[in-house]
Amino acid sequence: MSDKNTVPLSVLDLAPVPQGADPARAFQCSLELAQHAEKWGYQRYWMAEHHNMTGIASAATSVLLGYIAGGTKTIRVGSGGVMLPNHSPLVIAEQFGTLATLYPNRVDLGLGRAPGTDQRTMIALRRHLSGEIDNFPQDVQELQMYFGDVQPQQAVQAVPGQGLHVPIWLLGSSLYSAQLAAALGLPFAFASHFAPDMLYQALAIYRSKFQPSAQLEKPHAMVCINAIAADTDEEARRMFTSNQQQFINLRRGMPGKLPAPVDNIESLWSAQERFGVDNALRMSVVGNKESVRQGLQNILRETEADELMINGQIFDHQARLHSFEIVSQLQGELVKEQRIG
């Protein structure tokens, strides 16, 4: 037997910089998308930390989240995620404590274990290369302490931050963060929009090993996917070629701004490149409203996700707005089937 409930939708924004544009324009477009997403009923608006990538403008994630939160009223804003190896936990606690003070009950802190960049850029970020990733569990727990109530003889406090209980999420594309999120009783988000290989195994581990915590009584899994929606399947597939080209360029070691769509993607990649890109982007739903509805419902059936986060790397801003609007119209139709007994 099954019990059905609707699944909320959220937005992941990488502040893409299309060819011919600059970060200033990307920020304007992000704010406009966030304002529309709020009006269309999306649950959260998250931004991701990346460095040394000319096609992604969200490096100073907490600063940009303040801009987005200041231009909206009700939608939750957060990081998807902050790459914790790049930062001291205290600094992140102060940044997100400041955001949560300015915008109460609206801020999420999603944490990633990867650096989100290359080794040279890690050095430029002034973080040590040896041992930092191994400190991730301790850093997460340190953050929890800074957001918790002040403890007796606590020598260092996050001001602001202490006592605000900012919700912490763990993000990942492997099994490590799934295990840690389960052990700490935290919500978990899987980055299947670019690294889907371990999705189902990670979800199974997270759910089976979850330990209730003060923040969360039962597991809450969010799955991030790509969704490109348009009035016709053909138009959506053409828009998707920007994302495909971006991954081709990444694999060739030539990252850059988001490319314009093309009519014939087949002329741009080898068979081997196509295989790799198709595999990385296989958790993508591309098409008209009905195609996207079917695709999202299939993903929910396979993953039993509690929430879907939508990434849409689309070259034209108006087409991107239209895509997220089409997806938003499916809210209320998408359901999670919870198996009982």
Side-chain angles (χ1 to χ4, degrees):
M1 115 178 244
S2 66
D3 174 42
K4 292 187 176 182
N5 59 288
T6 58
V7 173
L9 300 177
S10 295
V11 176
L12 176 65
D13 179 16
L14 305 184
V17 184
Q19 291 173 349
D22 59 17
R25 176 59 181 159
F27 297 153
Q28 294 169 355
C29 292
S30 288
L31 179 58
E32 188 175 350
L33 175 58
Q35 291 168 337
H36 280 84
E38 179 174 80
K39 179 178 64 177
W40 293 330
Y42 282 96
Q43 178 94 348
R44 311 173 200 278
Y45 195 94
W46 282 9
M47 308 194 82
E49 175 187 349
H50 291 79
H51 299 279
N52 196 29
M53 299 188 73
T54 57
I56 297 176
S58 51
T61 313
S62 58
V63 178
L64 193 51
L65 288 175
Y67 172 65
I68 297 299
T72 53
K73 296 177 181 177
T74 58
I75 194 169
R76 296 193 67 87
V77 298
S79 56
V82 159
M83 300 299 114
L84 197 50
N86 300 336
H87 311 278
S88 77
L90 178 60
V91 168
I92 296 303
E94 291 169 341
Q95 290 176 358
F96 279 77
T98 299
L99 287 169
T101 301
L102 290 168
Y103 309 103
N105 303 312
R106 291 185 56 200
V107 175
D108 300 319
L109 173 55
L111 299 172
R113 177 173 169 255
T117 189
D118 57 84
Q119 286 200 346
R120 288 184 180 181
T121 308
M122 280 185 68
I123 296 172
L125 287 165
R126 304 293 193 268
R127 298 296 283 171
H128 301 293
L129 288 177
S130 60
E132 287 297 327
I133 286 180
D134 294 336
N135 292 334
F136 185 68
Q138 293 81 8
D139 287 350
V140 172
Q141 290 174 300
E142 187 177 342
L143 265 170
Q144 290 180 305
M145 178 192 71
Y146 290 137
F147 289 138
D149 297 328
V150 180
Q151 300 300 305
Q153 284 85 48
Q154 182 174 332
V156 179
Q157 297 183 31
V159 183
Q162 206 74 50
L164 294 183
H165 302 283
V166 175
I168 293 176
W169 290 65
L170 294 192
L171 283 53
S173 58
S174 67
L175 308 183
Y176 184 97
S177 290
Q179 293 170 328
L180 184 60
L184 296 179
L186 295 175
F188 175 61
F190 194 91
S192 53
H193 61 297
F194 73 92
D197 288 350
M198 297 185 183
L199 169 62
Y200 300 103
Q201 190 177 355
L203 292 177
I205 288 174
Y206 172 63
R207 289 168 177 148
S208 65
K209 296 189 175 183
F210 183 84
Q211 299 295 317
S213 68
Q215 180 176 330
L216 200 62
E217 292 183 359
K218 60 181 182 179
H220 184 95
M222 179 159 64
V223 174
C224 186
I225 63 161
N226 303 295
I228 310 293
D231 293 331
T232 67
D233 287 345
E234 182 181 29
E235 183 182 359
R237 284 194 295 268
R238 185 177 188 276
M239 286 158 49
F240 188 49
T241 62
S242 293
N243 206 176
Q244 292 170 315
Q245 291 177 79
Q246 193 173 47
F247 270 69
I248 295 171
N249 294 336
L250 277 172
R251 287 167 178 270
R252 291 176 179 173
M254 301 186 305
K257 294 184 176 182
L258 184 66
V262 294
D263 292 326
N264 182 20
I265 188 72
E266 300 302 329
S267 64
L268 300 181
W269 56 15
S270 67
Q272 184 176 6
E273 287 174 329
R274 175 178 181 170
F275 177 83
V277 172
D278 283 351
N279 182 64
L281 296 178
R282 68 180 184 271
M283 293 298 285
S284 301
V285 177
V286 181
N288 63 20
K289 183 178 179 179
E290 178 57 24
S291 298
V292 169
R293 186 193 67 76
Q294 292 179 6
L296 293 179
Q297 191 59 65
N298 288 339
I299 289 172
L300 285 173
R301 188 175 300 113
E302 294 168 0
T303 65
E304 300 183 58
D306 300 291
E307 193 169 337
L308 289 178
M309 180 158 273
I310 307 299
N311 178 49
Q313 294 287 89
I314 297 171
F315 180 81
D316 179 78
H317 178 54
Q318 293 304 317
R320 189 170 186 234
L321 290 178
H322 187 48
S323 176
F324 276 99
E325 182 178 18
I326 291 172
V327 175
S328 75
Q329 294 167 356
L330 300 172
Q331 293 183 109
E333 299 180 36
L334 302 172
V335 295
K336 173 188 175 185
E337 295 188 10
Q338 295 179 312
R339 287 160 179 77
I340 301 174

